[in-house]
Amino acid sequence: MSASSLMFRYGCHRVLEPQGALPQAAWRLDSRPEHELGAEHELVIAVERLNIDAASFRQMEHAAQAAGEDIATGVARRVRETVASRGKMHNPVTGSGGMLLGRVARVGSQLGSPHRELVRGESIATLVSLTLTPLCLDEIVAVHVDTHQIDVRGTAVLFSSGMWSRLPDFMPESATLSALDVAGAGPQVARLCRQLGARRVLILGGGGKSGVLCAAAARRAGAEWIVGIESAPRAAQEAAALPYYSRVLSADAADPLALAQLATSAASASGEPAEYDLVVSCVSAPHVELAAILCTRERGTVYFFSMATSFTAAALGAEGVSKDIDMLIGNGFCVDHAAQTLDLLRGEPPLQQLFVRRYSR
Ligand code: NAP
């Protein structure tokens, strides 16, 4: 592939600073909808809704509270400022983004399949992070604090390497958007369960979006004993009512010793303490690396899906307690992740009902 086709494929022509970076790593992007260079390689979307990544929304929510602002107003101000200064919704504190829902406004003439099949006006959700998506906001219409979604009017650009999904008709758009935001989680946990033959699975943040999807996926993939740890009482209750968890415990995963004791005691029906074959971190808050590590058996695996994960804390933490385990970074993408996540929701009515109840606004 020539240098210029690589540049357009990955959207490097939109990078303002630093020169040479790819859009995700860049500090600032050129987000003008009509760009003189490379327009024929771009998909332009009229944006209707942003789904802000949980770690990012939580950080902005706490910052607004600390500043004595109304949460919705404070989050809206921070989103507006970030997008204006960076040309993308790339939270400078958490480094995370989210994804968006909108209508196809223009399909560049040089785009190949599957983009070419899109029709102007069709609704799609993007499957690449807002941290690399050029975004212009005309208006922030409403902030839905409980679902981390924001109604907006604006324009976004997808490059030919960027994935998107059509929206199914069996769920409201906002509930679908919530599930697609974490589309990589369930399919990758299912794959891990099968590859590792994992019987015991622990999910930290087990009542959130990715947590409940991972629990359902692990159950379908043959895991026998699945325990969820959840700090939000309502989310814990709702997760416990699903047919996937063996147990859901209300606890703070940022307290490693207490958590290790609690979770290992709940690792079997008999109450015999045991560590887990697979631990999945789906929390939206930092400082849970050690709890995940302590709960994993020797040569077991931790899957850090959470964006609040620190590489240093995980690497040095595991070394410091002499645990020989595998630790995986949660790649947001795997082949067919959106289709697999939608299939899981379609085939699991209790899971689907939870998403519809929680995230339809
Ligand atoms: P979510 O729906 O907000 O769920 C997270 C859950 O964790 C919430 O119920 C939260 O409770 C709970 N929690 C927070 N701190 C906890 C603690 N110390 N102990 C136990 N539970 C705790 O979030 P999500 O959308 O599933 O996202 C989960 C994580 O994945 C986030 O970090 C997000 O940024 C990340 N993510 C990763 C990717 C990727 O590609 N790897 C993609 C999307 C999202 P509260 O509501 O009370 O805080």
Side-chain angles (χ1 to χ4, degrees), residues 53-54 58 208-210 230-232 252-253 282-283 305-307 330 332:
D53 165 82
R58 186 187 167 93
K209 295 190 281 297
S210 54
E230 174 56 57
S231 61
D252 178 5
C282 290
V283 297
F305 187 73
S306 166
M307 285 287 166

Side-chain angles (χ1 to χ4, degrees), residues 242-254:
L242 295 171
Y244 315 119
Y245 281 112
S246 312
R247 302 245 169 98
V248 176
L249 308 170
S250 286
D252 178 5

Side-chain angles (χ1 to χ4, degrees), residues 65-338:
Q65 267 167 340
E69 288 170 284
D70 166 69
I71 291 177
T73 312
V75 168
R77 182 169 70 74
R78 284 165 179 79
V79 169
R80 201 177 295 113
E81 285 172 3
T82 298
V83 174
S85 64
R86 304 195 67 174
K88 55 180 178 170
M89 183 49 218
H90 190 164
N91 184 317
V93 181
T94 62
S96 56
M99 28 85 81
L100 63 83
L101 184 149
R103 287 177 190 280
V104 174
R106 183 165 56 74
V107 183
S109 59
Q110 292 297 311
L111 285 172
S113 183
H115 312 296
R116 283 235 59 75
E117 288 123 45
L118 284 170
V119 177
R120 200 182 137 93
E122 207 175 347
S123 279
I124 55 171
T126 57
L127 297 174
V128 289
S129 174
L130 288 178
T131 63
L132 59 91
T133 305
L135 177 66
C136 256
L137 286 182
D138 301 322
E139 187 186 2
I140 293 186
V141 180
V143 176
H144 303 280
V145 174
D146 50 348
T147 62
H148 302 173
Q149 294 186 2
I150 304 183
D151 291 327
V152 299
R153 275 196 318 107
T155 313
V157 174
L158 225 58
F159 311 119
S160 65
S161 57
M163 305 292 289
W164 45 264
S165 169
R166 289 194 173 87
L167 298 162
D169 55 11
F170 68 86
M171 280 200 336
E173 286 186 347
S174 53
T176 304
L177 191 61
S178 288
L180 291 180
D181 175 40
V182 292
Q188 293 192 62
V189 164
R191 185 155 75 184
L192 276 173
C193 283
R194 287 194 205 98
Q195 276 171 357
L196 304 170
R199 290 191 306 117
R200 274 194 291 273
V201 176
L202 178 69
I203 303 177
L204 309 180
K209 295 190 281 297
S210 54
V212 292
L213 284 165
C214 288
R219 185 62 80 188
R220 281 195 160 196
E224 289 160 19
W225 192 261
I226 307 174
V227 174
I229 301 292
E230 174 56 57
S231 61
R234 176 133 182 242
Q237 240 174 35
E238 290 173 342
L242 295 171
Y244 315 119
Y245 281 112
S246 312
R247 302 245 169 98
V248 176
L249 308 170
S250 286
D252 178 5
D255 183 348
L257 286 187
L259 201 276
Q261 215 232 326
L262 186 73
T264 52
S265 307
S268 66
S270 66
E272 183 68 22
E275 291 164 340
Y276 292 78
D277 303 311
L278 173 65
V279 177
V280 185
S281 174
C282 290
V283 297
S284 46
H287 310 309
V288 307
E289 295 83 357
L290 252 296
I293 289 164
L294 293 183
C295 292
T296 309
R297 69 162 168 81
E298 283 296 308
R299 298 302 307 124
T301 299
V302 184
Y303 179 66
F304 285 114
F305 187 73
S306 166
M307 285 287 166
T309 305
S310 151
F311 178 89
T312 322
L316 299 180
E319 181 202 63
V321 296
S322 306
K323 273 269 182 152
D324 183 0
I325 57 178
D326 292 328
M327 297 191 288
L328 304 177
I329 293 176
N331 180 349
F333 174 76
C334 65
V335 171
D336 283 340
H337 61 334

